[in-house]
Amino acid sequence: MPHLLPKKHIHTQNITHYIILLLLIITIVTSSTPEDPIKCSSKNSNCTIKNSYGEFPDRSICHAMEVSYPKSEEELIAVVADATKMRRKMKVATRFSHSMPKLACPQDNGLLISTNYLNRTLIVDESSMTITVESGVTLRQLINDAAKVGLALPYAPYWWGLTIGGLMSTGAHGSSLWGLGSSVHDHVIQLRIVTPGDAKEGFAKVRTLGNGNPELEAAKVSLGVLGVISQVTFKLQPMFKRSITFLEKSDSDLGREAPKFGLEHEFGDITWYPGQQKALYRIDDRVPVSTPGNGLNDFSGFRSRPSLILALIRNTEEDQESRNDADGKCIDGKLTTSLLKSASYGYTNNGIVFINYPIIGYQNRLQASGSCLDSTKDGTCPWDYRVKGQFFHQTTVSIGLSKVMNFIEDVQKLVAIEPKALCVLDLYNGVLMRYVKASSAYLGNQEDAIDFDITYFRNKDPLVPRLYEDILEEIEQIGVFKYGGLPHWGKNRNVAFEGVIKKYKNASNFLRVKDAYDPMGLFSSEWTDQILGLRGGITIDKEGCALEGLCICSKDIHCAPIKGYFCREGKVYKDARVCTRIVKGEFA
Ligand SMILES: Cc1cc2nc3c(=O)[nH]c(=O)nc-3n(C[C@H](O)[C@H](O)[C@H](O)COP(=O)(O)OP(=O)(O)OC[C@H]3O[C@@H](n4cnc5c(N)ncnc54)[C@H](O)[C@@H]3O)c2cc1C
Ligand SMILES: *[C@@H]1O[C@H](CO)[C@@H](O)[C@H](O)[C@H]1NC(C)=O
Ligand SMILES: *[C@@H]1O[C@H](CO)[C@@H](O)[C@H](O)[C@H]1NC(C)=O
Ligand SMILES: *[C@@H]1O[C@H](CO)[C@@H](O)[C@H](O)[C@H]1NC(C)=O
């Protein structure tokens, strides 16, 4: 009864719009904290670990024989020594397990070492302006403990829930080209790491790596393969304030503006809505602490939401996907964007209301957020897999500043060919563009770059294609292959990591340190060996593999021919191979 569809469609959409509106106006206070990603069938043994989205890119289940929870460095050393003696495979796991790729999974049903209880701030030294924390401390704790004595971490990811060990190991960052840049690991001046040792050393060894030690350049971004980072010391700055204004413009000159904007504003970033041909510039600069204002960032996307609303939004999106309803997605996308704008993205001038821009406030109240972590009853983080909510892929690549203009223009050419295609990004708040500086870390950023963070619908069924599948696959391949972009180690689908290690000039130095620290590869797994170029198999050849980014299609069966999706060349980047929907009558 196809004639009934439009009616139902309008009905669902109206309800969703109404509810999204309510949602953004009311601040919801009830929710439940994210669950422990580790589940064991008996106490601390026979376990599985998930990421915070509930699925790895290949949807495999990760088993671990056991999990241990050291509460101090001494206990940590004992755990590593025991496992080394028995030649057991190990992996560090964190409180929330936020990385998308299968980084936290120990090989061969091995041992998980959780940093849950390594969560103390050890020293805050006002005179040297440094802080020393255990590696399981969350970003939020570090920010708060530094602020208590008037100190600030200048640059950080935007989300409170990451741990120091986890965010360093994956090269996480905020947005800046100033000073040492936005990567947290570039502000480390010392760390302690526990590695396997030989029998004489008691099977474990603590290494203290300070500034100037080349091994520190390996340990700053280590993918967890060198051992367990126990403690980290950061150089901080005296507390300062920032002044933030969001300015929306047409994206017609974005290619020329983007490379310059980050040099002009210390904390600037850009949210790009390519489907709406708009860009939101975050004009964000340091101002003296004497400047009046007590602004607060409680970013709308990291707030708790009632599960009922999450399900409604998801159901609408699934419904639109199943009916190829591009117009519906464009309408909902625009609505989402305008509601976020009218809610000032969750920023307030004083912690209570938004009055006007600029938002002026202390660094510790503006640099990151995540109120959905504090939760009690019904609501939860939007991606919580215990409820029906957001479920998405992320393609996150850093593209060198000199290539940014061409990348942006290629995406714009795709929009010109398929104007509705990138509406699918608007429900996930567009493309977040952040500045990242070249790093001395061996697996850190290789040149000054913009990191493009692209989030999009993922079907619960891995064999079902997405609306405008081809356009996003082409953008992924343009970013990763045509412009040689570096994938964020903690995000992305398998294809983004194809040949990745060749993009790092000092990869051989990293591998040398790895062999010295962990000669038996106890902290390595199939996945880390694959991304480090030590074994093949990053892409998986099977039916429908391109739909989930497990392969680049080379045959139709990698797409979904029965559903009308065939492997074709890209529309702008002819070397791309993407799953294109071919409507009957359009067969070439
Ligand atoms: C909502 C959300 C917002 C995000 N925002 C940003 C952002 O603004 N900027 C950004 O760059 N990224 C961001 N990310 C991605 C994030 O940076 C990475 O996924 C990050 O690595 C996750 O940290 P984690 O503490 O959850 O570590 P996990 O994902 O649990 O671990 C990551 C890796 O580090 C290893 N590891 C962890 N601790 C240690 C240790 N002590 N010693 C040795 N190895 C260790 C683990 O074994 C694993 O290999 C975001 C992710 C989410 C879910
Ligand atoms: C481990 O857990 C699985 C599923 O939870 C169960 O089937 C199996 O019997 C358990 N094995 C042991 C040794 O406890
Ligand atoms: C550390 O984590 C434990 C376990 O979750 C918790 O009980 C304790 O309060 C935390 N300590 C700090 C300083 O946050
Ligand atoms: C590689 O490391 C060496 C020191 O080990 C350093 O001098 C050099 O600058 C590094 N190269 C890059 C490209 O980072």
Side-chain angles (χ1 to χ4, degrees):
M1 288 181 287
H3 61 283
L4 285 180
L5 283 176
K7 200 171 164 196
K8 180 196 170 213
H9 166 55
I10 289 164
H11 178 69
T12 344
Q13 217 166 51
N14 282 345
I15 293 179
T16 316
H17 291 182
Y18 174 69
I19 289 182
I20 298 176
L21 185 69
L22 271 180
L23 177 79
L24 289 167
I25 294 170
I26 314 167
T27 307
I28 286 129
V29 285
T30 59
S31 52
S32 57
T33 53
E35 81 169 349
D36 192 330
I38 301 171
K39 289 265 169 291
C40 300
S41 66
S42 49
K43 192 179 185 301
N44 296 349
S45 66
N46 198 9
C47 311
T48 59
I49 181 167
K50 293 179 173 173
N51 62 21
S52 57
Y53 312 97
E55 289 281 7
F56 291 113
D58 63 1
R59 305 206 187 214
S60 60
I61 292 170
C62 173
H63 294 278
M65 188 90 79
E66 217 183 329
V67 54
S68 74
Y69 292 92
K71 293 192 171 66
S72 63
E73 192 177 82
E74 294 69 49
E75 290 185 21
L76 173 61
I77 294 166
V79 169
V80 173
D82 255 21
T84 303
K85 198 170 168 186
M86 294 187 287
R87 302 189 168 215
R88 286 179 85 182
K89 290 279 192 175
M90 298 170 254
K91 270 291 173 199
V92 185
T94 66
R95 182 171 298 264
F96 303 123
S97 195
H98 281 120
S99 295
M100 247 168 206
K102 219 173 154 182
L103 280 171
C105 184
Q107 195 65 34
D108 305 334
N109 204 5
L111 170 71
L112 285 171
I113 303 173
S114 168
T115 59
N116 261 15
Y117 293 92
L118 294 173
N119 62 345
R120 288 171 301 170
T121 294
L122 300 172
I123 307 165
V124 192
D125 187 334
E126 291 177 63
S127 60
S128 65
M129 294 196 288
T130 58
I131 189 168
T132 300
V133 297
E134 291 182 317
S135 65
V137 155
T138 60
L139 180 60
R140 168 158 61 171
Q141 259 175 287
L142 187 151
I143 289 170
N144 288 343
D145 288 346
K148 282 178 198 153
V149 297
L151 295 173
L153 179 68
Y155 313 107
Y158 294 180
W159 163 245
W160 277 341
L162 310 176
T163 66
I164 296 306
L167 67 83
M168 282 176 57
S169 300
T170 55
H173 57 83
S175 185
S176 191
L177 291 173
W178 292 31
L180 292 171
S182 60
S183 298
V184 177
H185 56 83
D186 284 326
H187 300 265
V188 170
I189 54 171
Q190 182 175 295
L191 62 76
R192 288 165 68 82
I193 182 166
V194 180
T195 68
D198 57 29
K200 286 194 303 283
E201 292 161 334
F203 297 103
K205 190 167 172 174
V206 191
R207 301 168 192 259
T208 305
L209 310 177
N211 247 348
N213 184 339
E215 292 169 12
L216 183 59
E217 302 308 335
K220 278 176 180 173
V221 182
S222 70
L223 312 178
V225 299
L226 301 183
V228 190
I229 297 169
S230 162
Q231 298 176 9
V232 188
T233 305
F234 292 96
K235 181 77 182 173
L236 304 176
Q237 294 182 358
M239 181 58 69
F240 55 90
K241 279 185 168 177
R242 277 158 69 170
S243 168
I244 303 175
T245 299
F246 289 104
L247 179 68
E248 196 179 275
K249 294 208 307 196
S250 148
D251 75 353
S252 58
D253 60 352
L254 183 65
R256 266 175 293 119
E257 287 298 314
K260 291 189 294 185
F261 184 70
L263 300 168
E264 290 160 6
H265 300 283
E266 184 175 358
F267 306 96
D269 71 24
I270 302 170
T271 304
W272 181 21
Y273 305 101
Q276 300 178 43
Q277 288 154 333
K278 285 195 305 202
L280 181 73
Y281 291 79
R282 174 188 177 116
I283 300 167
D284 188 342
D285 297 286
R286 190 184 290 244
V287 293
V289 269
S290 57
T291 320
N294 194 26
L296 183 74
N297 168 10
D298 180 8
F299 177 59
S300 306
F302 297 161
R303 288 190 190 181
S304 177
R305 297 190 197 170
S307 46
L308 206 68
I309 286 167
L310 289 171
L312 245 157
I313 295 172
R314 179 72 186 183
N315 284 333
T316 307
E317 197 183 11
E318 286 179 347
D319 182 48
Q320 288 166 343
E321 280 282 334
S322 68
R323 291 183 296 103
N324 290 306
D325 179 11
D327 292 314
K329 278 219 165 178
C330 288
I331 293 167
D332 279 5
K334 280 207 183 97
L335 186 87
T336 307
T337 309
S338 69
L339 289 174
L340 270 169
K341 181 181 175 181
S342 63
S344 59
Y345 311 96
Y347 288 71
T348 52
N349 291 90
N350 49 18
I352 301 159
V353 290
F354 171 76
I355 302 153
N356 54 19
Y357 293 119
I359 304 278
I360 294 170
Y362 291 104
Q363 166 72 347
N364 60 307
R365 286 167 59 87
L366 293 175
Q367 68 188 123
S369 72
S371 54
C372 70
L373 288 169
D374 298 324
S375 298
T376 47
K377 266 203 220 109
D378 177 54
T380 184
C381 293
W383 53 87
D384 188 334
Y385 57 82
R386 290 171 297 180
V387 302
K388 183 166 192 181
Q390 291 181 350
F391 186 56
F392 47 74
H393 287 297
Q394 244 169 3
T395 294
T396 306
V397 286
S398 280
I399 295 178
L401 284 186
S402 62
K403 289 166 257 169
V404 159
M405 184 171 89
N406 290 329
F407 175 72
I408 290 174
E409 290 179 356
D410 281 357
V411 174
Q412 288 171 329
K413 282 178 203 155
L414 285 167
V415 174
I417 296 167
E418 281 291 357
K420 292 175 195 163
L422 294 186
C423 293
V424 302
L425 302 181
D426 294 338
L427 276 171
Y428 301 89
N429 200 28
V431 178
L432 179 57
M433 296 164 52
R434 291 187 285 188
Y435 296 90
V436 189
K437 202 168 167 164
S439 170
S440 55
Y442 296 147
L443 299 185
N445 241 45
Q446 302 288 288
E447 58 182 325
D448 292 0
I450 294 182
D451 179 80
F452 291 81
D453 205 330
I454 308 173
T455 306
Y456 46 100
F457 181 83
R458 183 179 189 188
N459 206 298
K460 283 284 176 188
D461 180 342
L463 293 176
V464 175
R466 272 170 291 117
L467 192 53
Y468 295 115
E469 173 96 39
D470 53 337
I471 303 295
L472 280 163
E473 283 172 11
E474 186 167 346
I475 292 171
E476 185 177 45
Q477 291 174 40
I478 290 173
V480 174
F481 302 113
K482 184 172 178 189
Y483 297 116
L486 298 178
H488 191 304
W489 294 115
K491 304 185 185 182
N492 286 293
R493 321 190 304 166
N494 288 24
V495 288
F497 295 100
E498 190 55 62
V500 64
I501 201 66
K502 298 194 196 87
K503 297 175 179 175
Y504 289 85
K505 293 166 231 148
N506 268 337
S508 57
N509 289 355
F510 181 83
L511 293 174
R512 253 194 302 281
V513 176
K514 174 182 165 321
D515 284 341
Y517 281 20
D518 181 17
M520 291 187 284
L522 298 178
F523 283 93
S524 292
S525 63
E526 192 173 49
W527 176 248
T528 59
D529 283 350
Q530 285 165 350
I531 51 181
L532 291 172
L534 304 174
R535 74 158 93 184
I538 281 186
T539 60
I540 298 167
D541 185 332
K542 64 175 186 184
E543 183 184 349
C545 56
L547 307 175
E548 289 260 285
L550 298 176
C551 70
I552 293 169
C553 70
S554 55
K555 299 181 236 160
D556 289 336
I557 195 68
H558 293 152
C559 299
I562 13 167
K563 298 207 159 61
Y565 285 72
F566 299 86
C567 186
R568 291 293 183 265
E569 70 179 22
K571 294 181 164 62
V572 167
Y573 177 41
K574 297 297 174 194
D575 289 344
R577 291 292 173 274
V578 299
C579 295
T580 305
R581 178 165 172 250
I582 296 176
V583 183
K584 271 206 194 86
E586 287 178 16
F587 281 98

